[in-house]
Amino acid sequence: MIKKLLVALSLANLFFFNAWREALSPQAFFYFYYWKQYPGYAILAALVFNVLLLASLFFACFYAARRFVGRRFEKFVRAGFLLVFLLALNGIRAQFDRLSVRGLRISLGKPGLVAICLIMLTLAVFVVARYGLVRMSRAVASMLLVVSPFGLVGMGQAAWIAYKYGVPAERERPQAPALEVGADARPRVLWVIFDEMDERMAFAERPASLSLPEFDRLRSESLFATNAFPPAGHTSQSLPALLTGQLISAVKPVGPDELMLTIPARQATVGWSRQPDIFSDARAAGFNTALAGWYHPYCRVIGDRLTSCRWEPASQLALPDRLSVWKNIVRQQIGLFASIPFAGDLHSRLSRTEVEDYGAAHLADYRALLPEAESVAANREFGLTFVHLPVPHPPYIYERAKGELKDAAGGSYLDNLALADRTLGELRRAMEQAGSWETTTVVVSSDHWMRSDYWRVRPFWTALDSETFDERVEHRVPFIVKLAGQKSGTTYDAPFNTVLTRDLIMEVLGGRIRDPGELAAWLDAHRTFGESPYQSYEDEQ
């Protein structure tokens, strides 16, 4: 009976292959870098429960088959055992994008996918016919016995990872000491990034149903660029590029407090924490720096060059660190449906119970960051303030018709655009009340465009975005600069890439750009390209 128990345990482990990947391989599991708290304890506890539960079920089936099923039905029992084993292998296959049904359909086409399925089925029938059910089932059982120690080894390894990386919050770097700043009229800059804000939807082709009075007001007193392009097509790559002022062709998390950046211009890959950026520049120039940001763990990576730092993780990446043991149990059990061939739609429908969790978490991120953003934006002690906010990026947490925040699924990209506009107004009012608006240069932009092409691979986002979803994608982002004291607006039409923002802001802090004419002349002299060659989403898929 010990052998049957080990076979049952080993088979159960195979069914939870993806959960083991999540628990054991934080570097391969892309999202580890983006979690605020390491969720390994809850994931591991849920995994142990689920494996033991499924192993108990298998063992009970083995015992019942041996005790109550006669030889007449032995072949059916062995065939069922082989079928369950094949389902486990199919579940492992489904965890790899290139081997998934969608990946195979993309690479081989529908006829190729059908051909592969027929070949595999024919091969399985041939092997069983050639060697027989008895020999095949014994071979599979022997193989499961060989790999049965994996469970114990895996639990030990998961416990070690939990011990090693258990509290990422403790890895946040000590903030830089505040510098003595006088009461002189030194330049001051507020740089605001609205995540996934699209120039076409917000300005060039704004729908008649959408009103953005705060953005229009800011545009009327600023330099407004009509052809600004971001350095990359997703946040993980674009934000480090903007802050370092260098194009980045790839990023790779290597721990909770480090992101490796591949910089083509230097033909090198360096850690973000060791790379000079706008904050180290500003500190060297004698300015206090502040950041309130979303998505990246800024305080863990570059917190030592910031006088004030606050960050919140992205809900779609960091949801596991918000889940209890019970919710992880359910999530892992839902993942078992990936083992059933062509059950991807069923798996997606069951998984959609997490959508409201995404919305609630996204709303919590927004509510946590906005007061901090208002505080640091209004505080004149900070010479450089950077604010990265999670709107209009989905999930959609605003209902513009009612002017209300919400955490339930629904709404559209236009609703979140209206929320971004409301947020800009709240930042402005906080600064006006503190007397810092007129004396501050305000730079407003985005890290990437609205990626309708990207969200097509995430059905629940697409379903929530029916108001704006279309096949057309443009790569322009807003770029608005209101210089301190500026009262009138101007338009800048030449194409450029916003990766130059770091150098532009340092010119403003150095007092070398003081009026719109100098700003336009500087852009003319330093814009060397518009569209970035680095737009792939491979790192996030």
Side-chain angles (χ1 to χ4, degrees), residues 370-438:
L370 183 57
E372 182 70 16
E374 292 177 356
S375 175
V376 294
N379 191 335
R380 288 181 287 183
E381 294 295 313
F382 300 124
L384 172 63
T385 300
F386 179 79
V387 173
H388 173 205
L389 293 169
V391 290
H393 191 289
Y396 306 119
I397 56 173
Y398 190 63
E399 190 170 352
R400 69 184 189 276
K402 297 180 179 179
E404 295 178 355
L405 294 166
K406 60 188 182 66
D407 60 6
S412 75
Y413 180 79
L414 299 185
D415 288 311
N416 268 24
L417 270 179
L419 178 57
D421 185 78
R422 177 174 126 169
T423 303
L424 177 62
E426 293 182 12
L427 289 174
R428 178 169 185 151
R429 283 186 287 276
M431 295 176 70
E432 287 175 339
Q433 291 173 5
S436 58
W437 176 262
E438 291 296 334

Side-chain angles (χ1 to χ4, degrees), residues 239-281:
L239 258 300
L242 288 170
L243 295 176
T244 62
Q246 299 187 75
L247 287 182
I248 295 168
S249 61
V251 296
K252 181 181 179 181
V254 292
D257 53 1
E258 186 62 283
L259 184 72
M260 300 304 293
L261 314 176
T262 300
I263 303 175
R266 295 170 48 186
Q267 297 184 338
T269 297
V270 297
W272 187 5
S273 66
R274 302 188 299 275
Q275 180 65 23
D277 63 12
I278 190 170
F279 302 115
S280 57
D281 291 349

Side-chain angles (χ1 to χ4, degrees), residues 490-516:
T490 183
T491 300
Y492 186 83
D493 294 321
F496 66 94
N497 194 280
T498 59
V499 74
L500 54 69
T501 308
R502 172 196 180 184
D503 294 338
L504 169 62
I505 289 176
M506 291 309 302
E507 292 295 303
V508 173
L509 290 176
R512 293 177 289 276
I513 294 178
R514 291 159 294 186
D515 61 59

